[in-house]
Amino acid sequence: KVQGINTLYEHQSLAYHSVLDGFNVAVVSGTASGKTLCYNLPVIDSLIKIPQGRALYLFPTKALAQDQLTNLRETLNEMGIPGINNANIYDGDTPQHIRSVLRQQSNIILTNPDMLHTGILPHHTAWKDFFAALRFVVIDEMHAYRGVFGSHVANVIRRLKRICRFYGSQPQFILTSATIANPKELAEGLIEKPVKVIDQDGSPHGEKHFLIYNPPFVDKRLGIRQSSLLEGSYLAGELLEEDIQTIVFGRTRRSIELILTYLRQRDTSQNPNRVRGYRSGYLSRERRAIEEGLRSGEVKGVVATSALELGI
């Protein structure tokens, strides 16, 4: 009620009741359809009933984990439930001196598969209390775990399950995904357990435009077209001049820096924080500042590699 949510969408209600019935679930719905509530609701409900329980959230990128932490903490603070307000990120950016405190005091840990693989599972004895009380594992954006990377993540999940059994827990899995053709196959391949797929997206959707742009010819006879990098920079510049918040994705660090330089040269505001770059290699505090700037509207343009999760 505090957040203005008076009723659940169909997929949120189905997810909540399915988790309550003991199923491992995979929620498949569109962008901005409220998938976060599909796992936050049953997890928080369970922690209210069993305060000593624990939950582990896995996100493919640090950026998405930061974004979700903000929402989760706001929800917990608004609910004001004593003892269940401790959600924290545990990843490569977490300072060493507070890691032991987070392990002991967090009801919900948000991390990524790389950190789970290198920074948590090898040190499971230090996490024994957490694993013994682990009730839920959330795997967000599961469509990111495909191919060779997906097979690696599946093996990390297999290790996680084995360690949980060793400490006497059998957590439920809640997975979310964008719309894909084979959600059941992918989810069951990742966790090696039966999964109930919930794909009845009950959320409303605003109008979307998908524009496919072919750069103009430089030499039509030879079939040579204008650089897609230059054309992409030009189009992004046009949007920013109209004060439309814009994210430009590129494949490489070099292309990111080139587009960023072009857009800043074109920007008449002369405010270096209006258009920002985002890639691996930036300090964590720089990345957090960019993410917050996107949310607040202070940052109008971001040129990013896939390090910036599209979900935010």
Side-chain angles (χ1 to χ4, degrees):
K1 293 286 185 180
V2 176
Q3 294 183 335
I5 300 171
N6 297 311
T7 184
L8 297 177
Y9 297 138
E10 183 181 8
H11 61 288
Q12 294 171 334
S13 177
L14 287 171
Y16 172 72
H17 290 291
S18 297
V19 172
L20 225 60
D21 291 339
F23 290 100
N24 300 303
V25 303
V27 181
V28 181
S29 62
T31 304
S33 58
K35 287 192 286 287
T36 300
L37 202 59
C38 292
Y39 51 81
N40 277 347
L41 189 60
V43 167
I44 294 172
D45 180 58
S46 173
L47 292 177
I48 292 171
K49 296 169 182 172
I50 307 173
Q52 67 271 24
R54 297 291 183 267
L56 179 68
Y57 286 17
L58 292 179
F59 300 97
T61 64
K62 293 178 181 178
L64 190 53
Q66 289 287 342
D67 192 58
Q68 293 295 335
L69 179 66
T70 302
N71 295 333
L72 182 56
R73 282 181 171 171
E74 285 176 1
T75 301
L76 292 170
N77 288 336
E78 286 168 356
M79 294 178 70
I81 303 160
I84 313 175
N85 59 353
N86 219 339
N88 293 292
I89 286 178
Y90 192 99
D91 62 22
D93 294 337
T94 305
Q96 289 285 346
H97 66 278
I98 65 168
R99 291 188 177 189
S100 61
V101 176
L102 297 186
R103 285 196 296 266
Q104 296 301 319
Q105 297 184 0
S106 300
N107 294 101
I108 303 172
I109 286 284
L110 294 79
T111 188
N112 54 69
D114 296 308
M115 191 63 179
L116 181 64
H117 170 58
T118 59
I120 297 178
L121 296 182
H123 313 289
H124 61 84
T125 52
W127 288 81
K128 62 181 180 181
D129 293 337
F130 183 86
F131 285 127
L134 188 60
R135 296 180 59 80
F136 294 101
V137 176
V138 173
I139 302 177
D140 197 29
E141 306 286 328
M142 73 168 180
H143 53 273
Y145 306 123
R146 61 187 185 275
V148 174
F149 178 49
S151 68
H152 285 316
V153 173
N155 277 312
V156 172
I157 300 299
R158 186 180 295 171
R159 287 169 56 208
L160 171 64
K161 287 162 54 185
R162 188 175 69 242
I163 287 169
C164 286
R165 284 195 302 270
F166 179 77
Y167 290 111
S169 66
Q170 285 192 308
Q172 271 179 271
F173 286 84
I174 306 172
L175 304 96
T176 71
S177 174
T179 305
I180 55 175
N182 60 339
K184 187 174 179 68
E185 180 186 357
L186 178 59
E188 292 183 346
L190 280 171
I191 71 171
E192 297 181 329
K193 286 188 172 191
V195 169
K196 180 178 180 180
V197 173
I198 295 168
D199 55 6
Q200 298 91 332
D201 188 350
S203 63
H205 297 287
E207 188 178 19
K208 298 175 185 174
H209 299 278
F210 294 89
L211 307 180
I212 300 172
Y213 179 84
N214 209 4
F217 283 107
V218 174
D219 188 326
K220 194 168 185 177
R221 186 174 57 85
L222 296 176
I224 300 172
R225 292 183 179 271
Q226 179 67 272
S227 161
S228 59
L229 200 69
L230 290 174
E231 288 297 297
S233 302
Y234 170 76
L235 291 170
E238 291 285 297
L239 291 168
L240 289 170
E241 283 184 3
E242 295 296 327
D243 209 33
I244 298 171
Q245 198 171 39
T246 304
I247 302 178
V248 182
F249 282 93
R251 290 184 178 274
T252 65
R253 293 185 182 189
R254 180 176 175 273
S255 65
I256 294 309
E257 296 301 336
L258 286 171
I259 296 171
L260 179 62
T261 300
Y262 171 84
L263 290 177
R264 281 183 170 168
Q265 287 172 346
R266 180 170 172 168
D267 185 21
T268 56
S269 72
Q270 301 301 313
N271 176 7
N273 290 326
R274 188 170 184 267
V275 183
R276 304 291 299 271
Y278 191 111
R279 59 171 174 76
S280 59
Y282 283 16
L283 296 174
S284 61
R285 64 174 178 271
E286 291 178 300
R287 296 198 300 268
R288 300 297 88 82
I290 295 166
E291 292 156 20
E292 180 54 39
L294 268 177
R295 284 192 287 270
S296 67
E298 180 189 355
V299 174
K300 283 297 177 184
V302 173
V303 189
T305 61
S306 58
L308 180 69
E309 172 55 46
L310 185 57
I312 66 173

